[in-house]
Amino acid sequence: MHTLVFLSTRQVLQCQPAACQALPLLPRELFPLLFKVAFMDKKTVVLRELVHTWPFPLLSFQQLLQECAHCSRALLQERPSTESMQAVILGLTARLHAPEAGASTQPLCRKHTLRVLDMTGLLDDGVEQDPGTMSMWDCTAAVARTCIAQQQGRAAEPGLATVPVEVRVDLRVNRASYAFLREALRSSVGSPLRLCCRDLRAEDLPMRNTVALLQLLDAGCLRRVDLRFNNLGLRGLSVIIPHVARFQHLASLRLHYVHGDSRQPSVDGEDNFRYFLAQMSRFTCLRELSMGSSLLSGRLDQLLSTLQSPLESLELAFCALLPEDLRFLARSSHAAHLKKLDLSGNDLSGSQLVPFQGLLQAAAATLLHLELTECQLADTQLLATLPILTRCANLRYLGLYGNPLSMAGLKELLRDSVAQAELRTVVHPFPVDCYEGLPWPPPASVLLEASINEEKFARVEAELHQLLLASGRAHVLWTTDIYGRLAADYFSL
């Protein structure tokens, strides 16, 4: 439903030239809604003029494009329109290139108010988008081009006086875009257009390039560093980590493939690991740590003991954890603060089961998001864990994909989870009943690759749906879709 104010605003923007002429006459309290409607309806001429004449110090996508009293549509949950994003950037460029005084029809006090353009928080789901929308990679490139062009414009017009604007963005970089983004960051130093990175994700980037990029970022702005597919090893990480540790306000650190290099002497590997731990102790604001696909067997206590404050999100997927790792985590100060826990790819079916149950009990009061994909949990282990699992009263998300569970096990889980009032999403595996000729116990690779009997699975889905209806839990999503943007980011919890 839309309010009368929203409908009136949409009508006003139908004729874009007239709307632009009317902007100086409209109360500034209408500008936030004007921006949302123009962004939603791709009224690019109006959108550009709105940015050009924005009457507030801050223009924040997270504030303006969320669900509001006038419109329930949350544009931050959708891919941004390429046309609308380009219009915002053009409006910013026009603002920066406008003379300090002149014949503009807009009041100067209005035109010169904007100090921060916050473009963070855009959807970044990593899936293919349609040509009319802009990915985070595209957004990074567009903002970078604007920074470079602005610097070139200043060189061509050295006498042009402009009001500085800080542009806050989430940056994505890989080998192909590295040089371009580095030039943009260099161009923004001392420029009226100051590029400020909130979240950095670098994929498959050489060590020296990663360091060079980190050196160009503002230590006061960065919230997250996410290094993916870099396969740094301990040697590479020991070079990069001191440059990351200078970001004292860093709240999230995501590293992957941290392990020793078999080609170097083990004493060097131990020295690198100790150096890494020493650098980790420098973080004072860290709340999320992801160490996916890192060899941490028997070393979790060394890693977590160095941290100065308890974590709220811990991802240890495919880390070959041992029972003593889980026992340490259950006893640590981190357990009672965890909101998100990912133990995917660690075998929890044998001697790890009891320590895992102890960890789950220690985290029950705070846990919101639990990911247990490919943990070799069969019905026996699940049923033994259910009494503890159902004590996680605030749990919103449970991921069990890739575990050898039967339809009977899933039904038992569904019945017991009725007590979890906050639960909204369960990502479950295809029941083993739906496979033909499955070896036992089935390896995770078999569960992920073997074909299922579609007719049997259709009956399973129908039965689960009926059970949800009968228990008054039709609003809870039970799905096998692991690619559906269902897993919550730590900062959105």
Side-chain angles (χ1 to χ4, degrees):
M1 294 294 292
H2 296 146
T3 65
L4 184 59
V5 175
F6 176 91
L7 296 174
S8 300
T9 302
R10 175 171 272 177
Q11 190 61 38
V12 166
L13 298 186
Q14 290 304 308
C15 179
Q16 295 193 70
C20 290
Q21 290 182 351
L23 285 181
L25 306 176
L26 296 176
R28 68 182 208 158
E29 289 76 16
L30 285 178
F31 271 58
L33 185 57
L34 285 166
F35 183 91
K36 181 174 184 178
V37 176
F39 196 97
M40 180 189 304
D41 293 347
K42 303 176 187 176
K43 301 297 183 183
T44 55
V45 177
V46 176
L47 196 55
R48 175 177 173 174
E49 191 63 20
L50 281 168
V51 177
H52 185 202
T53 62
W54 193 251
F56 304 103
L58 172 66
L59 194 163
S60 169
F61 279 23
Q62 292 192 70
Q63 292 179 9
L64 298 172
L65 301 182
Q66 65 181 341
E67 181 179 346
C68 67
H70 300 290
C71 174
S72 60
R73 186 171 170 183
L75 296 177
L76 285 176
Q77 304 299 318
E78 307 171 17
R79 287 271 192 174
S81 157
T82 299
E83 294 177 56
S84 295
M85 290 294 293
Q86 289 174 340
V88 170
I89 293 171
L90 287 173
L92 176 64
T93 303
R95 187 184 191 98
L96 292 171
H97 284 278
E100 187 70 21
S104 172
T105 59
Q106 308 298 337
L108 288 179
C109 61
R110 174 175 284 188
K111 183 176 139 186
H112 292 157
T113 301
L114 183 63
R115 293 293 182 271
V116 177
L117 172 60
D118 190 341
M119 302 172 70
T120 61
L122 296 173
L123 179 65
D124 183 27
D125 54 14
V127 299
E128 290 295 323
Q129 75 277 10
D130 66 73
T133 63
M134 184 174 280
S135 69
M136 283 304 303
W137 299 97
D138 298 329
C139 183
T140 295
V143 173
R145 281 194 294 268
T146 304
C147 289
I148 295 171
Q150 170 62 22
Q151 185 65 13
Q152 293 171 345
R154 288 185 70 211
E157 302 177 80
L160 183 64
T162 57
V163 178
V165 177
E166 177 183 290
V167 181
R168 298 175 184 169
V169 289
D170 298 328
L171 296 178
R172 306 291 181 260
V173 58
N174 56 19
R175 289 174 184 261
S177 61
Y178 162 72
F180 191 61
L181 183 57
R182 182 187 60 182
E183 183 182 355
L185 288 167
R186 286 176 173 173
S187 298
S188 74
V189 176
S191 168
L193 182 59
R194 178 170 169 260
L195 197 58
C196 184
C197 176
R198 183 189 69 159
D199 294 352
L200 173 69
R201 190 173 88 195
E203 294 191 3
D204 191 28
L205 204 61
M207 180 175 60
R208 65 182 182 278
N209 292 355
T210 304
V211 170
L213 206 60
L214 290 169
Q215 291 173 333
L216 291 170
L217 299 179
D218 189 327
C221 296
L222 199 63
R223 181 184 72 166
R224 167 180 281 164
V225 170
D226 185 351
L227 304 181
R228 301 189 181 194
F229 313 120
N230 295 288
N231 201 16
L232 295 169
L234 285 171
R235 178 187 294 175
L237 193 60
S238 66
V239 174
I240 288 176
I241 195 65
H243 298 279
V244 178
R246 76 180 182 88
F247 299 105
Q248 291 300 303
H249 300 292
L250 196 74
S252 171
L253 179 59
R254 303 178 64 83
L255 306 169
H256 304 275
Y257 302 104
V258 178
H259 48 74
D261 190 336
S262 60
R263 296 168 297 179
Q264 65 178 339
S266 59
V267 64
D268 291 342
E270 288 302 314
D271 288 344
N272 287 331
F273 188 65
R274 281 193 293 269
Y275 182 73
F276 168 65
L277 295 178
Q279 295 298 314
M280 289 295 291
S281 68
R282 295 172 57 188
F283 294 109
T284 58
C285 299
L286 198 65
R287 294 294 179 270
E288 177 180 51
L289 180 61
S290 175
M291 299 288 291
S293 300
S294 300
L295 186 58
L296 295 177
S297 303
R299 290 188 157 188
L300 196 61
D301 59 337
Q302 294 174 267
L303 173 62
L304 298 184
S305 296
T306 64
L307 301 180
Q308 295 193 30
S309 53
L311 295 171
E312 295 182 348
S313 175
L314 182 58
E315 299 183 10
L316 299 170
F318 299 93
C319 287
L321 298 181
L322 300 177
E324 53 262 39
D325 295 314
L326 297 172
R327 278 193 288 267
F328 165 79
L329 183 54
R331 295 193 303 265
S332 72
S333 61
H334 303 284
H337 292 82
L338 287 176
K339 296 180 180 179
K340 182 176 183 179
L341 178 63
D342 186 351
L343 297 176
S344 297
N346 293 285
D347 187 348
L348 302 178
S349 64
S351 58
Q352 287 94 333
L353 181 63
V354 172
F356 163 65
Q357 292 170 343
L359 170 59
L360 197 59
Q361 185 163 338
T366 57
L367 202 58
L368 305 176
H369 185 108
L370 180 60
E371 187 68 73
L372 301 173
T373 297
E374 296 182 45
C375 288
Q376 292 296 309
L377 293 171
D379 288 0
T380 303
Q381 291 81 26
L382 177 65
L383 295 178
T385 306
L386 275 180
I388 303 171
L389 181 61
T390 52
R391 292 176 196 165
C392 301
N394 299 309
L395 195 68
R396 302 173 190 166
Y397 174 96
L398 177 61
L400 289 168
Y401 192 83
N403 287 288
L405 297 173
S406 70
M407 181 55 185
L410 289 179
K411 288 196 292 186
E412 196 65 34
L413 171 64
L414 191 151
R415 293 189 189 99
D416 283 19
S417 68
V418 170
Q420 295 170 295
E422 300 300 318
L423 190 63
R424 292 294 177 270
T425 305
V426 177
V427 180
H428 64 86
F430 295 100
V432 291
D433 317 59
C434 297
Y435 293 88
E436 302 290 347
L438 198 64
W440 197 265
S445 59
V446 173
L447 292 176
L448 297 176
E449 297 172 8
S451 58
I452 64 166
N453 185 311
E454 297 289 348
E455 190 174 317
K456 286 184 178 179
F457 183 63
R459 290 197 294 269
V460 165
E461 284 190 306
E463 189 171 352
L464 289 175
H465 181 65
Q466 287 301 317
L467 288 171
L468 287 169
L469 288 175
S471 60
R473 305 280 286 169
H475 60 284
V476 181
L477 175 64
W478 278 61
T479 179
T480 56
D481 182 9
I482 59 173
Y483 303 108
R485 303 201 309 263
L486 300 172
D489 182 80
Y490 161 65
F491 291 111
S492 68
L493 292 175

